[in-house]
Amino acid sequence: MDIQNHYYGHSAVFALYCGSRRLRHVSGLIQHGWTVSSPITAQFGDFASWGPARRRLSWTSSSRGWSPDDAGNFFSDGTPMLDAIGAPYLYLLDAARANGAVPERTDRTLVLPLHGTALLKVDGDHGAYAQLVREKEGPATVCLHIDDLHNDEILDAWRSAGHDVVSAGDRRDPQFIGRILWMMSVAKRVVSNRLSTSIMYAAVSGADVAIYGPDFRLGANAAADPGLVMRDLWPEFYDESTPQHVLTSIAEAELGRGDMRTPHELSRLLGWDAHTVVPFLEYWASGPLTKAQTVLGLKKVPEGAHATEKGLSPWHWIRHPLQHLPSPLPKLPAMAAVEPLRP
């Protein structure tokens, strides 16, 4: 239904798990990253007016930050909006472990700084953070988001401090999640300056995790920055004395370990037990039109949706049209860990 379903290789993992030989369009929306608030507002706001026929597929039903029972997670007729299915990363991790395909944990510290996007810029001193990491960890492996990788100032900050820079690739690359699995599996320790999807992945993968460093500012609307509530809701991740098994347990809940589905159930929820002609048309036509209408202010979104983008003009979207428009679905990769890219 929307390009976000295919971010980071999530739909590819689900297709392989369900036994499909090709990637298919989804009759609904798949959560594409760990969220502090409900994915209804955090990620699905553009499609608020689309009814129950298009499922909203969250990772978990047991987050500390929000609940499926919250008032904003129901349609006007009282129908629940969300079906929890577990994070794609858990499916990939389980498959790799079952096949003995998880690489050995031998590498140095992995660092994932808070990143921006083409729309949301991050205000922070990468140079100071790179030096702090060098002092505390020694030379580390630093995974930069694709948009930060194209920023020479950010890239030079980490390289000049003696760190090795790698990438998981473009977010539309179906092997993205496989590269993340590789990095989370080989690193003995994973560090970031903010609680994030990556820290949750590291915790469930068995790496030691740590959060420290300068608190980068995300977007122009500081009051809506989700980092403001993270320390209060998940203090264990900010306390170096917290046992690893405690962090793993929390991350399992946040990623929806208890909400994972059988291949048959997941196929049904994705709409893959029927023809996907309608999702195909929505993906290429009505979906992009709906998103354009919200960008131009012609269609309302739920209260709180796109809060971090408040104040941005439509020009910010128009400057990067390929970031938001659909593209042909790629071929399915193997369900395996993949070595990261080296720029």
Side-chain angles (χ1 to χ4, degrees), residues 127-141:
Y129 191 27
Q131 292 297 332
L132 177 61
V133 169
R134 179 61 187 256
E135 294 169 8
K136 293 177 70 71
E137 311 290 338
T141 299

Side-chain angles (χ1 to χ4, degrees), residues 13-31:
V13 169
F14 284 157
L16 290 165
Y17 175 75
C18 293
S20 177
R21 286 183 283 184
R22 63 182 177 85
L23 198 52
R24 302 180 67 188
H25 294 283
V26 177
S27 183
L29 298 162
I30 301 171
Q31 181 178 342

Side-chain angles (χ1 to χ4, degrees), residues 58-327:
S58 65
W59 288 0
T60 184
S61 60
S62 56
S63 173
R64 289 185 184 178
W66 59 275
S67 167
D69 296 330
D70 292 341
N73 294 331
F74 292 85
F75 292 105
S76 57
D77 64 356
T79 304
M81 286 187 175
L82 292 169
D83 289 282
I85 58 174
Y89 185 82
L90 293 179
Y91 292 82
L92 180 59
L93 177 63
D94 288 355
R97 285 174 171 172
N99 295 328
V102 177
E104 185 179 356
R105 196 174 294 284
T106 58
D107 207 358
R108 54 189 176 179
T109 297
L110 172 67
V111 185
L112 297 106
L114 175 67
H115 68 82
T117 67
L119 285 179
L120 287 180
K121 300 304 179 183
V122 166
D123 184 13
D125 190 340
H126 278 267
Y129 191 27
Q131 292 297 332
L132 177 61
V133 169
R134 179 61 187 256
E135 294 169 8
K136 293 177 70 71
E137 311 290 338
T141 299
V142 182
C143 180
L144 292 181
H145 187 273
I146 192 69
D147 291 306
D148 288 344
L149 198 63
H150 293 156
N151 185 314
D152 290 340
E153 183 178 349
I154 294 175
L155 182 60
D156 291 345
W158 289 98
R159 281 181 168 169
S160 63
H163 303 298
D164 182 27
V165 175
V166 299
S167 168
D170 185 85
R171 64 182 180 177
R172 299 194 192 201
D173 186 337
Q175 290 191 308
F176 185 105
I177 195 169
R179 297 187 185 105
I180 292 294
L181 175 62
W182 180 283
M183 288 185 274
M184 297 300 168
S185 300
V186 300
K188 295 180 180 178
R189 180 170 161 88
V190 178
V191 171
S192 182
N193 57 334
R194 178 171 294 199
L195 188 57
S196 63
T197 307
S198 297
I199 290 294
M200 295 295 178
Y201 288 170
V204 299
S205 300
D208 290 333
V209 299
I211 301 173
Y212 65 80
D215 189 13
F216 291 178
R217 177 179 171 180
L218 178 64
N221 185 11
D225 190 332
L228 297 175
V229 300
M230 289 178 177
R231 191 180 295 269
D232 292 334
L233 289 174
W234 295 277
E236 296 92 339
F237 282 93
Y238 294 86
D239 183 350
E240 293 186 6
S241 67
T242 304
Q244 173 63 37
H245 71 87
V246 173
L247 299 182
T248 299
S249 178
I250 296 170
E252 294 268 5
E254 291 293 328
L255 296 178
R257 168 64 71 184
D259 295 299
M260 295 174 71
R261 306 292 184 130
T262 66
H264 176 75
E265 290 176 316
L266 188 58
S267 291
R268 177 181 60 81
L269 289 168
L270 293 167
W272 291 348
D273 59 347
H275 293 294
T276 55
V277 174
V278 171
F280 170 87
L281 295 173
E282 291 175 344
Y283 176 83
W284 284 105
S286 56
L289 176 60
T290 295
K291 292 170 73 173
Q293 289 174 323
T294 61
V295 167
L296 297 172
L298 303 177
K299 184 179 285 289
K300 288 186 177 181
V301 297
E303 184 69 28
H306 305 307
T308 54
E309 300 169 7
K310 186 176 180 180
L312 295 181
S313 73
W315 174 245
H316 287 81
W317 282 264
I318 296 171
R319 284 176 59 195
H320 306 279
L322 297 181
Q323 293 273 348
H324 321 289
L325 294 178
S327 58

